[in-house]
């Protein structure tokens, strides 16, 4: 009986250990998930683009940078010129144009709307990459636009003057 009791106990421990692994595995997989990677087209001499990429990397994004300017990439990806800025990115099928904050990109990827992507047209002071002491910590009011495939827009987020 002692031997049967020992086998049953070992089997029960193995079964409980297996359940524990299954319960803990999802949280472990989330903790070690690879960062979302953007392809970024930019001018090789643009400092604000480098600062925007650094902002994204602080928010757990990874970037593959193509240093050849962004006009051709913007046109190829279908982003209308009127929403243009100094860099263009592509992530999970979405086009990101300009100094879009990382939090808005994360929100876009979570919501997965049927859209072309996001844009912060121009280069507003205070947007990521156009911020900090070099700009006396000033911030212009600006909007992040959700761009539809037909070129129409809705406001995705608003940042006040600061």
């Amino acid at each position: 009986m002692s031997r049967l009791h020992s086998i049953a106990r070992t089997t029960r421990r193995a079964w409980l250990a297996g359940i524990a692994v299954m319960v803990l595995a999802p949280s472990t997989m989330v903790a070690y998930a690879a960062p979302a990677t953007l392809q970024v087209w930019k001018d090789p001499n643009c400092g604000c683009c480098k600062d925007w990429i650094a902002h994204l990397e602080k928010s757990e994004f990874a970037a593959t940078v193509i240093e050849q300017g962004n006009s051709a990439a913007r046109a190829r990806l279908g982003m209308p010129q009127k929403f243009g800025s100094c860099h263009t990115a592509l992530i999970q099928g979405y086009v990101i144009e300009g100094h879009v904050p990382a939090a808005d990109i994360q929100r876009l990827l979570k919501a997965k709307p049927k859209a072309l992507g996001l844009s912060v047209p121009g280069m507003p002071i205070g947007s990521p990459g156009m911020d900090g002491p070099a700009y006396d910590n000033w911030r212009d009011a600006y909007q992040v636009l959700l761009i539809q495939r037909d070129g129409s827009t809705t406001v995705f987020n608003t940042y006040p003057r600061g």
Side-chain angles (χ1 to χ4, degrees):
M1 186 81 167
S2 168
R3 181 167 181 204
L4 283 176
H5 183 67
S6 176
I7 291 171
R9 202 158 155 209
T10 302
T11 303
R12 185 173 40 238
R13 283 184 187 160
W15 186 77
L16 290 172
I19 289 174
V21 167
M22 290 183 345
V23 168
L24 295 175
S27 63
T28 303
M29 291 187 324
V30 170
Y32 295 106
T37 301
L38 300 96
Q39 285 183 290
V40 181
W41 289 266
K42 67 177 223 35
D43 183 282
N45 301 310
C46 186
C48 68
C49 296
K50 290 176 189 171
D51 292 344
W52 179 73
I53 292 166
H55 161 76
L56 293 177
E57 289 172 341
K58 287 178 187 171
S59 295
E60 310 270 328
F61 285 99
T64 301
V65 180
I66 301 134
E67 306 265 3
Q68 62 184 24
N70 68 321
S71 296
R74 182 185 316 118
R76 186 179 78 254
L77 295 171
M79 180 62 72
Q81 176 62 37
K82 67 183 177 182
F83 302 120
S85 186
C86 58
H87 53 265
T88 304
L90 181 64
I91 184 167
Q92 296 180 16
Y94 291 107
V95 181
I96 307 298
E97 183 69 27
H99 295 269
V100 177
D104 291 320
I105 298 171
Q106 290 166 336
R107 183 175 146 217
L108 174 79
L109 297 177
K110 185 176 180 184
K112 299 184 187 311
K114 290 185 180 180
L116 178 64
L118 297 175
S119 175
V120 171
M123 298 168 65
I125 294 174
S127 60
M130 295 290 297
D131 54 354
Y135 300 94
D136 292 328
N137 294 310
W138 178 256
R139 186 168 73 196
D140 291 332
Y142 68 95
Q143 294 179 326
V144 177
L145 303 175
L146 179 67
I147 313 297
Q148 299 299 325
R149 296 202 179 274
D150 66 2
S152 64
T153 66
T154 55
V155 175
F156 193 75
N157 205 350
T158 300
Y159 291 85
R161 172 179 259 163

